Amino acid sequence: MGIADRTLSRPPAFPADEEALVALVRALRGTGYGFTTVTPATHARVNARPRNAEARSLRDVFGWSRPFRPGLLPDELVGLMDEAGALVREGERLRAAIRLSSLDGEVFAHSAYPPSAADAVFFGPDTMRFVAAVLAHLEGRDRPVRRVADIGCGSGAAGIALAKRLPGAETVLVDINPAALRAARVNARLAGVEGVETRRSDLLRDVEGRFDLIVSNPPFMIDASGRAYRHGGGPLGAGLSLAIVEAAAARLAPGGSLVLFTGAAIVEGADPFREAAGTACARAGLDWSYRESDPDAYGEELDDPAYGEAERIALVVLTATRP
């Protein structure tokens, strides 16, 4: 069957052929491929430049998600893309159905830009901040970690980074989105980590036992489209973040910690999420700390009437520990 017969006309959130995807990404890594992902807003601005209308390199194809002409890539790579279901035809041009981003010495596969599908698998600068916060906690921790849960794992970046540093520990990558679980399995295989399991679950409802470390970077925006990776629900998008605090409080082992990287809408100088999360931690008997890692992110969202009362959106890290 020729490529013209196999290519997709519409990209999936994340392709289903995991074996072929692993082979594709390994082939790309062999070329020395690397790409630092950017925010969707930056991505749109850079791609809007006239000279960026078409791809001219591997980074353009697999990082910037630009369309490309047949003949740009080696036939072997195009064949692997086709086999994986990661090749989309747009008239006379082709496009990759996945993006590949660099982090922690690995290459992570996730959804192509723009991540407009309801079940898109997102990876962005917040992923990098989240992983940094999780690893900083691990470095300062003085108790052993035998069991880890990454709630809403997406690409699996945080759980995989922990598994690399915790040989022998059990790591459960949890998500309600099947596309995210496919991406997490592919990325775990590419990183060569052991003891990693993916589990479809709403929070920890379908996962048993207690955990020494629970980490999460949940959706925290108000998204009219209801995209799973973005919409947090509840007051000012904080609903899912608060639900994770409650779920973790019930499942932390003695000495266990939650590291939650999320966003908080600030209203007239006050942080309603901090107040609600602190109350939940105190009620559960958890010691907790809270800091802003970026006081002003996603400023463009303030144009949305849903944020009419907010003066800024901060990125925050909540750490809660069972004594």
Side-chain angles (χ1 to χ4, degrees):
M1 183 180 292
I3 287 177
D5 299 317
R6 297 167 61 99
T7 48
L8 307 171
S9 59
R10 182 174 301 174
F14 194 84
D17 193 326
E18 296 176 23
E19 291 290 336
L21 281 168
V22 169
L24 169 62
V25 180
R26 284 177 175 161
L28 283 163
R29 288 181 64 166
T31 69
Y33 174 90
F35 182 78
T36 299
T37 195
V38 296
T39 65
T42 294
H43 198 129
R45 289 186 177 96
V46 173
N47 272 3
R49 296 168 182 167
R51 67 177 182 273
N52 293 334
E54 287 190 357
R56 302 185 299 273
S57 67
L58 285 174
R59 292 177 71 254
D60 288 354
V61 172
F62 292 101
W64 291 107
S65 294
R66 294 170 188 159
F68 63 98
R69 299 278 178 179
L72 176 70
L73 302 185
D75 290 344
E76 178 187 1
L77 281 181
V78 176
L80 288 170
M81 294 171 69
D82 185 32
E83 183 180 349
L87 190 63
V88 180
R89 180 170 290 283
E90 296 180 346
E92 296 181 354
R93 302 188 300 183
L94 302 170
R95 187 187 294 270
I98 58 169
R99 287 180 74 195
L100 301 172
S101 298
S102 304
L103 176 63
D104 194 35
E106 309 295 340
V107 175
F108 287 86
H110 54 101
S111 294
Y113 175 87
S116 54
D119 57 345
V121 184
F122 186 75
F123 186 110
D126 279 357
T127 309
M128 299 180 179
R129 298 182 182 109
F130 171 44
V131 170
V134 165
L135 295 182
H137 170 80
L138 183 65
E139 185 176 349
R141 185 181 173 88
D142 58 5
R143 295 183 65 111
V145 176
R146 301 180 182 87
R147 199 158 188 250
V148 176
D150 182 353
I151 300 178
C153 66
S155 67
I160 290 168
L162 288 168
K164 288 171 62 176
R165 293 159 174 83
L166 295 169
E170 176 188 356
T171 302
V172 185
L173 306 179
V174 179
D175 209 297
I176 201 169
N177 179 6
L181 295 175
R182 291 198 299 273
R185 283 193 295 270
V186 166
N187 291 326
R189 289 182 58 185
L190 289 166
V193 291
E194 298 181 355
V196 174
E197 175 189 0
T198 58
R199 184 77 63 86
R200 188 178 185 186
S201 177
D202 184 0
L203 303 180
L204 295 174
R205 290 188 178 92
D206 296 314
V207 181
E208 298 178 351
R210 294 185 176 273
F211 294 89
D212 302 300
L213 182 57
I214 298 174
V215 301
S216 186
N217 172 208
F220 56 81
M221 306 299 297
I222 302 171
D223 184 44
S225 300
R227 286 169 288 183
Y229 77 87
R230 197 168 188 272
H231 187 58
L236 295 171
L240 186 54
S241 296
L242 289 171
I244 288 170
V245 174
E246 298 279 2
R251 303 293 288 278
L252 285 173
S257 296
L258 164 69
V259 179
L260 176 68
F261 182 95
T262 189
I266 309 302
V267 180
E268 295 186 356
D271 184 344
F273 171 70
R274 184 186 191 281
E275 181 177 351
T279 298
C281 290
R283 186 168 56 243
L286 304 179
D287 298 332
W288 62 284
S289 63
Y290 187 94
R291 65 179 177 85
E292 292 189 5
S293 68
D294 188 333
D296 181 18
Y298 300 101
E300 68 276 7
E301 299 294 333
L302 299 180
D303 292 333
D304 188 325
Y307 286 104
E309 301 300 317
E311 61 190 42
R312 60 186 175 94
I313 300 171
L315 298 177
V316 302
V317 180
L318 169 70
T319 304
T321 300
R322 184 172 301 287

